[in-house]
Amino acid sequence: MAINITRRDLLKLAGGSVLGFLFTPVPWKTLDDLAIWTQTGPWVPKLPQGEPATRFSACPLCPAACGVRARCLGGQPVSLTGVAGHPLSHGGLCPLGLAAHHLAYHPQRVVQPLRLTRAHGQLQTTPLTLEQALAEIAPVLAEAKSSGEYVAVLDQQPGRMLSQRYQQFLGLFPRAAYLGNDGGEGATLTTLQSLCEQPYGPLGLDLENTATLLSFGAPLLEGWGTPGHINHLRRLQAENGNDRRLQLIQIEARQSRTALQSDTWLPIKPGSETALALGLAQVLISESWCDRRRLQQRADDFQCDGGRSFCDLVADFTPARVAAITGLHAEIIVATARQAAQHAPAIALGGSDPGAGPLGTMAELAIASLNVLLDSVGVTGGIVPRRALPVGEELQSAAALPITNIADLPERSVRVLFLDAAQSGYALPWQLLERKLIPETGCVISLSPYLTGLAQHANYVIPAPAPFEALQEGVTPGGAAVASFTISPPLLAAPATVVEPAELLNHLAAALALNWTSFTAADLLRQRVAALQQASRGRVFTFPEEQWQEVAAVGSAEQLWEIFASGACWQDETTPAARLPRLRLLGKSSENFERLRTAGASPPALQNQTAGSLLLLPFGWRGAVGNGQVSPVLSKIYQESGLHELANHAYLNPATGRSHGLESDGPALLQTPAGNLRVQLHLDRAVPPGVVQVAVAPLPNGSTNELNENVLALCALQADGTWRLTPAQVAKV
Ligand code: SF4
């Protein structure tokens, strides 16, 4: 058999050779294009020397909190690998985490407070002492307090003890909003909770026992949840010869890696997820795959008088009509609904591409309802209730402040906005936040170790510790069936000038003479550990030994703290399945019937599309779309291997290119009503016709230039805070 080695194969091999540098003590000192890293800042380390040692931690870069085994020389981490047998990450680390120990030396690292100003599109920075920064920020907060203007915190990793602190701090202001980036992995679950008449939740996915997973664009095989979780499940099931092997059906316009590796890929037209979910619901109801009588009892609006019930809504979404909207054959739609009903339990999951952002409220509503029709809520292998993580008594009352959807916050209302630079793994366009700020006087304070991503739009940057420089907390990853908790013990010494976010709140509360009890970050984590020990729930997986220990068998909070301090992961016990309370399938707003009908028939974003325009679809890889801190080693791997696309590279189907006068690869100008962006054009047959896909990613040196070169700035924002589809033009330059 002939073996064809393509240029792409050779480049992948080159990428592999670069990957090897990750496991040496000298990665960024030996690569030419990393010279800048070694020339900036006094904190850049010398090549470490000394005894080799192994230390354990957890990757603090995203909520997955993967277990980390660090090989150290002279106390300095020189390579990171996964922890075998880890209950969440199963020995895996994603590429971002593999090089996370480089990030303390990022060229856009911030080690002292900065005041930022902008003139003629250029960013200017003025270094401040912490005292100077506090003296400038505190009066603005005081004004917001006395005038009743909004003070808001954007927390991209909710559920931490620090999150409770933000909520407590906000509770001291007359008008406050605690904002989350809710387009991510928990979107379907939070939507499902919102349908319930009585509070219910939190919820998780019992993937270990699921038979069919209907994914509406969730990047399940690209690091979703914890990296490799789904692959791990499929491998386990295959090894056990389980005839209920997880069937993954990926519903997505783009030919993503998950789409290519799933059992079935349904390539729908962009923006037609709502129509397909309603169409599947129509088949389930019309073919009696669901128990009508029980649904009638459980959902007030399943079938009711007045012609505005859920059944009335989906009756319009026949397979033939949905086929025309989605581009799928009607028989495929019918077969997919039947497979989900027959190969049970089945879960319908939204969440979507990390660069393209949330699917939208209506799409998630339709997907959440599908789970009720499939009877997969509160059953083994379906969507299951999960207990919340215990919280120390002193902070329990603060949990009452709910997460506000950014889109729901009044426009031009926020005087002070804090950006916690934690990663959600999902992109967030600056313009979504900008329109919430009071013009001229709105003040943004970024608590970030880097001057990248959203921090470039702030008025002040307060230098937070970089990954592995401070004790950090890992809470339950999105979608997990049971609660978990991890502490990342530091592997690196932090510069003396960095400021823990918890400490900043203490300083500001003191400056404003607020009624506030100061706690350090370590105090907060000790409170969590004490609460765990008091609850006597679950068990702890210790890293060096790779063994489980029951919390009930640990004698004191101090002993449990010692266990966490050298690396450990706590997991809760499973809770008994519990059925949903009464609910409304159309949600609590009486307007949702019309909204769903409209969104299903034609996505609002496409309603003003002009003839001949293309559709701009941003896309990205989880971890590389957020705050832009990626090791340049990783960028080099991207560049040389094609494993992930680079920033501002645009992809077009050759047939679409021909019809728009774009016959070859090369530089081009992307235009939308929001502006222009120079892109590198690639013709690629995998791209759907009429679409231009543009990567949301860091620049090749691992940094971002948020102010001038960001495709997200070109996207049209919808009223519900989505930016997935934007009419666009592409022209050669
Ligand atoms: S998935 Fe998240 S926690 Fe795990 S290695 Fe990657 S960045 Fe780190």
Side-chain angles (χ1 to χ4, degrees):
M1 187 175 72
I3 297 175
N4 293 322
I5 298 178
T6 63
R7 181 170 176 272
R8 188 176 173 88
D9 294 328
L10 287 172
L11 291 175
K12 279 191 172 167
L13 182 67
S17 69
V18 174
L19 188 65
F21 280 111
L22 290 173
F23 302 102
T24 76
V26 287
W28 14 265
K29 276 194 175 290
T30 51
L31 292 171
D32 287 346
D33 52 349
L34 304 184
I36 189 169
W37 282 43
T38 62
Q39 291 164 9
T40 53
W43 60 91
V44 174
K46 301 283 174 270
L47 281 178
Q49 294 182 341
E51 286 298 305
T54 301
R55 290 162 66 193
F56 292 87
S57 188
C59 176
L61 283 177
C62 86
C66 299
V68 163
R69 176 189 296 268
R71 180 171 163 263
C72 302
L73 287 176
Q76 178 83 24
V78 293
S79 70
L80 307 182
T81 51
V83 174
H86 190 280
L88 303 179
S89 52
H90 306 284
L93 286 184
C94 78
L96 193 67
L98 210 58
H101 56 308
H102 298 171
L103 296 178
Y105 316 108
H106 195 289
Q108 285 167 284
R109 178 77 200 270
V110 178
V111 289
Q112 71 182 107
L114 298 176
R115 186 196 308 126
L116 307 185
T117 49
R118 291 149 199 90
H120 312 297
Q122 295 297 310
L123 189 64
Q124 286 162 358
T125 59
T126 308
L128 303 173
T129 63
L130 179 60
E131 290 68 29
Q132 287 170 324
L134 291 170
E136 294 186 16
I137 294 167
V140 186
L141 268 175
E143 280 176 28
K145 189 168 189 292
S146 59
S147 63
E149 295 164 326
Y150 267 101
V151 175
V153 172
L154 172 66
D155 180 357
Q156 302 210 74
Q157 277 189 36
R160 297 170 293 167
M161 292 298 278
L162 177 60
S163 308
Q164 307 272 340
R165 267 318 243 181
Y166 287 138
Q167 291 172 303
Q168 200 175 32
F169 186 77
L170 289 172
L172 301 171
F173 292 84
R175 192 168 291 172
Y178 175 63
L179 307 171
N181 194 356
D182 52 1
E185 293 166 1
T188 305
L189 301 179
T190 47
T191 304
L192 202 44
Q193 280 177 279
S194 74
L195 305 185
C196 299
E197 288 182 354
Q198 304 296 326
Y200 186 83
L203 297 169
L205 308 169
D206 183 14
L207 295 178
E208 268 66 11
N209 298 297
T210 300
T212 303
L213 195 43
L214 269 178
S215 158
F216 288 77
L220 291 162
L221 300 173
E222 296 158 77
W224 185 92
T226 48
H229 185 198
I230 306 277
N231 274 334
H232 172 75
L233 289 180
R234 283 160 45 118
R235 199 169 51 244
L236 272 187
Q237 288 176 338
E239 282 168 12
N240 296 338
N242 189 341
D243 61 1
R244 292 173 68 84
R245 193 177 80 82
L246 176 63
Q247 294 291 310
L248 175 55
I249 301 171
Q250 185 71 2
I251 298 158
E252 189 171 10
R254 197 172 71 82
Q255 191 189 75
S256 66
R257 284 168 202 281
T258 301
L260 286 172
Q261 294 176 60
S262 57
D263 298 291
T264 307
W265 171 34
L266 302 183
I268 58 170
K269 287 184 189 168
S272 60
E273 290 86 357
T274 312
L276 183 58
L278 295 175
L280 295 172
Q282 194 276 346
V283 176
L284 292 173
I285 293 171
S286 65
E287 292 195 354
S288 301
W289 290 107
C290 49
D291 187 333
R292 271 177 171 266
R293 212 174 57 173
R294 193 160 60 192
L295 279 164
Q296 193 105 31
Q297 289 165 352
R298 288 170 61 187
D300 285 342
D301 57 353
F302 174 69
Q303 196 160 27
C304 52
D305 296 335
R308 294 176 75 82
S309 71
F310 187 80
C311 285
D312 295 321
L313 173 75
V314 301
D316 284 346
F317 289 86
T318 60
R321 183 173 177 224
V322 173
I325 298 171
T326 60
L328 298 174
H329 288 296
E331 305 84 69
I332 301 267
I333 297 164
V334 173
T336 303
R338 288 177 185 165
Q339 181 180 350
Q342 289 172 320
H343 197 62
I347 293 175
L349 184 65
S352 114
D353 181 283
L359 279 176
T361 320
M362 291 303 112
E364 288 293 356
L365 188 53
I367 294 166
S369 298
L370 259 187
N371 286 295
V372 181
L373 264 48
L374 288 165
D375 201 21
S376 60
V377 187
V379 300
T380 302
I383 294 174
V384 291
R386 176 179 87 202
R387 285 190 291 190
L389 267 171
V391 181
E393 264 174 34
E394 285 195 69
L395 293 180
Q396 229 151 26
S397 59
L401 194 63
I403 295 183
T404 301
N405 186 341
I406 299 170
D408 294 339
L409 198 61
E411 313 259 308
R412 299 166 166 248
S413 66
V414 177
R415 180 65 191 278
V416 182
L417 171 64
F418 290 93
L419 303 176
D420 180 286
Q423 280 272 21
S424 69
Y426 281 73
L428 188 58
W430 162 247
Q431 57 270 35
L432 185 58
L433 294 168
E434 187 182 28
R435 65 188 191 185
K436 305 297 171 186
L437 294 170
I438 297 174
E440 309 297 332
T441 60
C443 179
V444 180
I445 300 145
S446 176
L447 318 182
S448 171
Y450 314 102
L451 188 50
T452 59
L454 294 177
Q456 293 183 0
H457 296 281
N459 300 88
Y460 297 92
V461 176
I462 304 296
F468 298 120
E469 282 186 350
L471 280 173
Q472 289 188 31
E473 178 179 9
V475 292
T476 318
V482 293
S484 62
F485 169 70
T486 312
I487 291 176
S488 304
L491 300 174
L492 294 161
T497 45
V498 303
V499 185
E500 298 257 18
E503 286 289 359
L504 180 72
L505 298 184
N506 294 340
H507 287 305
L508 288 172
L512 292 169
L514 299 175
N515 180 15
W516 183 254
T517 308
S518 290
F519 293 121
T520 64
D523 293 336
L524 296 173
L525 293 182
R526 280 181 178 272
Q527 284 185 27
R528 175 82 88 189
V529 170
L532 273 179
Q533 200 266 339
Q534 200 174 15
S536 206
R537 268 165 50 188
R539 50 191 192 146
V540 192
F541 178 80
T542 53
F543 293 170
E545 304 85 11
E546 294 183 15
Q547 283 176 357
W548 286 102
Q549 192 170 353
E550 298 293 328
V551 171
V554 181
S556 68
E558 192 54 37
Q559 282 175 2
L560 192 57
W561 176 259
E562 288 305 319
I563 291 172
F564 277 112
S566 57
C569 171
W570 172 84
Q571 255 195 324
D572 204 356
E573 299 138 17
T574 51
T575 46
R579 291 288 186 175
L580 275 179
R582 287 180 68 77
L583 49 82
R584 295 188 60 79
L585 289 167
L586 296 173
K588 290 178 185 148
S589 167
S590 59
E591 292 168 19
N592 282 349
F593 184 93
E594 275 311 324
R595 286 184 189 144
L596 265 170
R597 191 154 72 173
T598 308
S602 170
L606 300 189
Q607 285 163 17
N608 298 324
Q609 191 182 5
T610 54
S613 66
L614 299 169
L615 266 188
L616 166 60
L617 296 191
F619 70 100
W621 168 65
R622 193 185 87 156
V625 299
N627 293 317
Q629 66 273 32
V630 172
S631 165
V633 174
L634 196 62
S635 283
K636 194 165 178 69
I637 297 171
Y638 284 2
Q639 248 178 319
E640 297 196 356
S641 68
L643 285 171
H644 285 287
E645 290 76 7
L646 290 168
N648 304 346
H649 283 233
Y651 300 83
L652 212 60
N653 189 293
T656 310
R658 274 195 298 280
S659 64
H660 284 73
L662 303 160
E663 306 280 348
S664 58
D665 292 0
L669 192 68
L670 175 68
Q671 297 170 291
T672 74
N676 304 328
L677 182 73
R678 284 180 72 91
V679 292
Q680 192 64 27
L681 185 66
H682 303 273
L683 299 177
D684 186 338
R685 276 177 298 164
V687 179
V691 158
V692 52
Q693 295 177 180
V694 181
V696 183
L699 296 168
N701 70 350
S703 67
T704 58
N705 188 346
E706 182 81 9
L707 291 183
N708 303 319
E709 299 181 56
N710 189 338
V711 65
L712 292 175
L714 266 61
C715 294
L717 279 179
Q718 301 302 309
D720 63 354
T722 57
W723 63 89
R724 302 175 61 75
L725 306 172
T726 305
Q729 304 286 344
V730 181
K732 270 281 186 193
V733 290

